[in-house]
Amino acid sequence: MTSSEENVTTTPEPETIEAQPVQPSPDGFHSRPGAQRRTAIVVAAAALAVLALLIYSGIHSRAVAESRLTQRTQEAAIPTVAVVFPKKGAPTQEIILPGNTQAFSDAPIYARTSGYLKRWYFDIGAHVQKGQLLAEIETPEVDQQLQQARADLDTAQANLNIAKITATRWQGLVSNGSVSQQETDQAVSNLSAVKAAAESSSANVRRLEQLQSFEKIYAPFDGIITARNTDIGALIDAGANTQPRELFHMAAIRTLRLYVAVPEVYSRAARSGAPATLTLDEFPGQVFRGTLVRNANAIDIASRTLLVEVDVDNPTGQLLPGAYVFVHLKLPDQTRSVTIPSNALIFRKEGLQVGLVRNGKAELVPIKISRDYGNSVEIVSGLQSTDAVIVDPSDSLVAGMPVRLSSKPTAGSKP
C-alpha cells in the first residue's frame, strides 16, 4: 500500500433506515396516542351529557305531568253550581193568611145518668135557645134508688125525733135523781148519732134527685145542633168504666173565631184591636169584617209564627164553622221582598239558609220566608236582587268553599 493510499481517509456510507408507514386516521388526520385519549374523553363526556339530558328531560316531564294532574284534580274538586238572581216583588201592604172558622162556643153533649133514651126533640141544623129541652132519658134504676133513699130518710127522721124526745126527757129526770147521769149521757150521744145518720140520708136523697134531674138534657147555650148521635131506645151508659157516647153536638155561630199563624216577620201587624177582612171562595167579591182581639204574645219556636185570634160577627149565620177562609191583615208600613225558587233553600240545624256565590266562593246566609207559593218562596229578609243564589245546593256545601259557575245559563238568571 502506498503512502498515498494510506493518507486517503475512507468515508463510511450511511446506513439506510427503513421508515414505517403512517396509518391515516378516519378523519384524514394522522392520529397520535395523545389525540386518541382526548377523543375518547370528549366522546365519554358527550355520552354523559346526553345521558344527563335524557334523565333531566324524563324527570322534568314527569314533574310537569304530576303538576298538571294535581291542578286538574283540584279543578275537578271545585263544584260547578248554577245560580239565579232573586226577582223583585211589589211592596207588600197586606198579608193574606189561610185560616178555618170555628164556632165561638163548641161543646159535645153527654148524658150524666144511665138508662134508655126516651125521646129527642131537635135534630141537626136546629137552632135552639139556652135551657131548651133536647132529650129525655128513662132511668128506672135511679128512680128506685131515689125512692129507697127517701124511705131511709123518713126512717132516719123518725129515729131522730124519738132520740130528741128521749134526750130531753132524760135531761129533765136526771135533775131529781130519777135516772142516772150515765143513762142521760147515752141518750144525748144517741141523739147526735141519729142526727148525723138523718143528715147522711138527706144528702143521699139530694144526690139521687140531682142524678134524676139529668134524665132531661138541656141546651147549655144558644146555638145550633151540628150532630145527633143517638136515637129512641138507645142504651145510655154514663159509667166511669166505659167510654161515654156523645148524644148531641152544639155550636154557637153568632160570632165566629179564627186562629191564624202570622209569620214572625209580620208579627207587628198582629195588634189587638186591628181590623181584619175575610174572603171566601164560595162568596166571590164579598168581604167580611173582623177584629183581631188577642194574640199569644209569644213566637212558636217550631214554626216561627205568632198565633192570633180574629172574631167575626155572624148574626145571619151566613158563615159556617169549619169554612176555609183567607184573612187579610194590614201592615203598618210597606215591606219589600224578593222571590227565589224553592229548590234553592237549605234546611240545616242553623235554620233556613240559602247559598250565594261571592268572589268565587260559596257563602251561606240566613233568610226569612213570608209566603210559600210551592215552586217559589217570597223572602223578606236576607237577600238582595243582585245576589247570585245557588240552585240545588249539595249537602256538602259549606261557607268559604270555592265554586265554579255553570257555563249553561239558567233561565231568568239575570237580575
Side-chain angles (χ1 to χ4, degrees):
M1 177 178 299
T2 62
S3 58
S4 62
E5 289 178 355
E6 292 177 356
N7 295 332
V8 177
T9 305
T10 61
T11 306
E13 294 181 0
E15 296 179 355
T16 303
I17 301 174
E18 294 182 359
Q20 297 294 329
V22 178
Q23 297 295 331
S25 62
D27 55 359
F29 295 97
H30 298 283
S31 61
R32 296 178 181 178
Q36 291 179 354
R37 286 193 298 270
R38 288 193 296 272
T39 301
I41 293 173
V42 171
V43 172
L48 290 175
V50 172
L51 180 60
L53 180 62
L54 292 176
I55 294 175
Y56 172 77
S57 176
I59 295 175
H60 179 69
S61 61
R62 183 173 298 176
V64 172
E66 290 181 356
S67 177
R68 290 178 180 175
L69 179 60
T70 302
Q71 183 180 0
R72 291 179 181 177
T73 303
Q74 292 177 351
E75 291 178 355
I78 298 176
T80 301
V81 296
V83 298
V84 296
F85 290 89
K87 296 180 181 180
K88 292 183 179 180
T92 304
Q93 298 179 350
E94 69 174 11
I95 54 174
I96 304 175
L97 302 171
N100 294 313
T101 57
Q102 299 182 18
F104 196 83
S105 297
D106 187 273
I109 309 300
Y110 294 96
R112 184 61 183 85
T113 186
S114 299
Y116 294 92
L117 189 71
K118 183 177 181 181
R119 64 177 60 90
W120 52 267
Y121 298 97
F122 294 98
D123 210 337
I124 59 173
H127 291 260
V128 297
Q129 302 295 322
K130 180 180 179 180
Q132 277 192 289
L133 182 62
L134 302 181
E136 293 184 42
I137 301 174
E138 289 182 338
T139 58
E141 293 181 357
V142 175
D143 296 341
Q144 294 300 322
Q145 290 174 3
L146 179 58
Q147 291 183 7
Q148 180 181 358
R150 285 173 176 169
D152 293 340
L153 177 60
D154 293 340
T155 301
Q157 290 289 350
N159 293 334
L160 177 61
N161 291 333
I162 191 63
K164 285 181 179 179
I165 295 173
T166 302
T168 302
R169 182 175 301 167
W170 252 242
Q171 287 175 347
L173 294 175
V174 73
S175 59
N176 55 15
S178 299
V179 294
S180 66
Q181 185 65 41
Q182 179 66 26
E183 292 175 334
T184 304
D185 293 340
Q186 289 179 352
V188 173
S189 297
N190 183 59
L191 172 62
S192 299
V194 172
K195 183 177 180 182
E199 292 177 352
S200 176
S201 298
S202 177
N204 189 37
V205 170
R206 291 192 300 270
R207 179 184 68 83
L208 292 173
E209 287 176 346
Q210 288 288 336
L211 197 58
Q212 189 184 50
S213 68
F214 292 136
E215 293 178 351
K216 300 181 184 299
I217 301 174
Y218 300 94
F221 50 79
D222 297 347
I224 59 173
I225 303 296
T226 60
R228 178 180 62 83
N229 301 314
T230 188
D231 209 342
I232 296 175
L235 175 63
I236 308 300
D237 192 350
N241 297 327
T242 60
Q243 180 66 30
R245 185 174 62 177
E246 179 182 284
L247 303 183
F248 298 93
H249 201 101
M250 282 191 60
I253 63 171
R254 289 186 61 86
T255 301
L256 297 180
R257 69 175 80 198
L258 297 91
Y259 291 101
V260 183
V262 179
E264 181 181 1
V265 293
Y266 295 138
S267 58
R268 62 184 183 278
R271 304 186 310 272
S272 297
T277 57
L278 278 68
T279 57
L280 291 84
D281 291 339
E282 57 265 37
F283 299 105
Q286 190 171 355
V287 176
F288 299 89
R289 307 291 178 181
T291 304
L292 197 155
V293 294
R294 63 184 60 87
N295 64 72
N297 286 323
I299 300 296
D300 185 355
I301 60 175
S303 61
R304 310 308 303 178
T305 57
L306 175 67
L307 185 64
V308 301
E309 179 187 339
V310 177
D311 289 354
V312 183
D313 290 334
N314 187 36
T316 61
Q318 188 176 12
L319 295 178
L320 301 178
Y324 185 79
V325 301
F326 295 96
V327 182
H328 301 250
L329 297 177
K330 295 291 184 181
L331 295 177
D333 53 7
Q334 294 183 352
T335 301
R336 297 190 176 275
S337 61
V338 294
T339 304
I340 62 173
S342 300
N343 59 354
L345 301 177
I346 300 175
F347 300 91
R348 293 181 180 174
K349 64 179 181 179
E350 294 81 5
L352 191 61
Q353 297 176 321
V354 295
L356 305 181
V357 177
R358 291 176 178 172
N359 299 325
K361 295 183 178 180
E363 183 176 340
L364 302 182
V365 297
I367 60 171
K368 292 183 179 180
I369 293 179
S370 62
R371 281 176 285 189
D372 188 346
Y373 301 110
N375 294 331
S376 61
V377 292
E378 185 181 38
I379 309 299
V380 294
S381 175
L383 286 182
Q384 301 293 332
S385 60
T386 56
D387 290 331
V389 181
I390 299 175
V391 181
D392 290 327
S394 64
D395 294 337
S396 60
L397 185 68
V398 295
M401 172 188 294
V403 294
R404 183 171 50 246
L405 296 181
S406 173
S407 59
K408 297 181 180 180
T410 304
S413 62
K414 296 298 181 182

